[in-house]
Amino acid sequence: MRAIQFTEYGPPAVLHTAEVPPPQAGPGRIRIAVRASGISPGETYIRAGTLRDVVPTTFPYRTGFDAAGVVDQVGDGVTGVAVGDEVFGMTTMAARGANADFAVLAAWAPKPPAWSWEEAGGAAGSVETATRVLDRLAVGAGDTVLVQGAAGGVGAVAVQFAVARGATVIGTASEGNHAFLRSLGAQPTSYGPGLVERVRALAPAGVDAVFDCAGGSLPDLITIAGGTAQVVTIADFAAAAHGVHMSHGVPADSTGTALGSAADPQAVHGLALAVALAAEGRLRVPVAAAFPLTEAAAAHELSESRHARGKIVLVH
């Protein structure tokens, strides 16, 4: 089968398509024939070598964490799913390898009929991350939440999940994405200088929680939240220096000192919630761009621009 991998750190050009043996579904796992898979912004850092001291990498490194496709193998002990079912889900953090013709999933849910393969292929990682952080922040009905970087793959899903919980959501994005954020249910504002004042004007009673999907603005976000306890970032590697929790899923034994926090438990229950919200027409998975599997390098280039609206996916 084809799989995307790299054998050295470097720019997107180090990614290449390799012919490798297909993985097998072990106990508690399923294998899918992949129809679409997601590009993870975190993997662009891994590929570039930025996280070499945080994420131990053995070459060749096969990319991809979330995918959607048709079940073609069911491991021992798995119930509730059968060969031929259409599903979306994610691999383990350690195994990855979803950017391939076949992928083994550790968590999955039925593909919502309303979603295209592209939407489903990029959904699981954003859904799990959004659920994990909103759970940690204990976001609920009546809360006001700021999502910094709300137009990206995780941010757009986080907005919709927070709205579904009954929260009022303020989202930051470039002005060209403000109408998009309104369509998701958020009050938009711009990031950058003056953010504290703009958010206070939108939420004079204060903000209960801040979900940072962009990085680089923690001092302002702490001021907006009135302290560090209600700020969680997934994008700022200086979090520990600011006393802010960085939520991630990399094995704790490799990140305790480098990121200042152990891995949070994966929120795989978010997948079932996503299915329910999609059935009600309350969850969209915005797709910024879809590339053929063989153009993974171009997909990584777009991801590194940090200007994509929604998720970047590979189609198989």
Side-chain angles (χ1 to χ4, degrees):
M1 72 167 191
R2 300 172 301 167
I4 302 302
Q5 63 182 39
F6 59 92
T7 54
E8 61 180 328
Y9 295 122
V14 300
L15 293 168
H16 60 275
T17 307
E19 286 292 333
V20 301
Q24 304 300 313
R29 305 283 191 260
I30 63 171
R31 188 177 75 178
I32 62 171
V34 178
R35 296 291 185 268
S37 60
I39 294 295
S40 165
E43 283 192 330
T44 67
Y45 292 114
I46 295 172
R47 188 217 70 238
T50 307
L51 301 182
R52 69 181 69 197
D53 295 327
V54 177
V55 182
T57 303
T58 301
F59 298 127
Y61 184 98
R62 293 179 189 161
T63 63
F65 177 63
D66 45 12
V70 179
V71 178
D72 83 325
Q73 198 177 83
V74 177
D76 290 343
V78 174
T79 59
V81 66
V83 170
D85 288 352
E86 297 182 350
V87 301
F88 75 105
M90 53 196 183
T91 67
T92 65
M93 289 294 292
R96 295 187 179 263
N99 298 148
D101 288 325
F102 294 91
V104 171
L105 302 184
W108 60 88
K111 172 186 169 293
W115 287 359
S116 66
W117 282 117
E118 290 82 0
E119 291 170 304
S126 296
V127 165
E128 186 279 326
T129 303
T131 305
R132 172 174 14 107
V133 175
L134 293 175
D135 282 355
R136 184 178 182 92
L137 289 168
V139 171
D143 288 337
T144 297
V145 182
L146 172 66
V147 179
Q148 172 82 336
V154 174
V157 171
V159 166
Q160 296 172 87
F161 269 44
V163 168
R165 292 179 180 217
T168 296
V169 181
I170 299 169
T172 68
S174 61
E175 189 170 348
N177 284 323
H178 284 190
F180 169 66
L181 293 188
R182 289 190 189 95
S183 76
L184 299 181
Q187 300 178 54
T189 191
S190 300
Y191 47 76
L195 177 63
V196 174
E197 291 74 22
R198 289 192 297 276
V199 172
R200 283 177 176 165
L202 290 171
V207 167
D208 301 293
V210 176
F211 185 165
D212 175 31
C213 302
S217 300
L218 285 180
D220 280 350
L221 300 183
I222 293 167
T223 299
I224 289 168
T228 60
Q230 285 303 102
V231 180
V232 173
T233 183
I234 60 169
D236 200 317
F237 297 108
H242 293 277
V244 168
H245 179 75
M246 183 174 190
S247 185
H248 60 88
V250 181
D253 58 1
S254 66
T255 61
T257 56
L259 291 182
S261 61
D264 289 335
Q266 284 192 330
V268 296
H269 58 282
L271 301 183
L273 177 59
V275 174
L277 291 176
E280 297 170 0
R282 301 171 66 194
L283 179 63
R284 299 155 48 194
V285 182
V287 175
F291 293 84
L293 178 65
T294 52
E295 295 182 14
H300 270 232
E301 288 177 2
L302 177 59
S303 180
E304 287 182 335
S305 76
R306 307 303 180 215
H307 293 300
R309 178 197 289 181
K311 188 78 172 188
I312 302 168
V313 300
L314 301 176
V315 291
H316 299 240

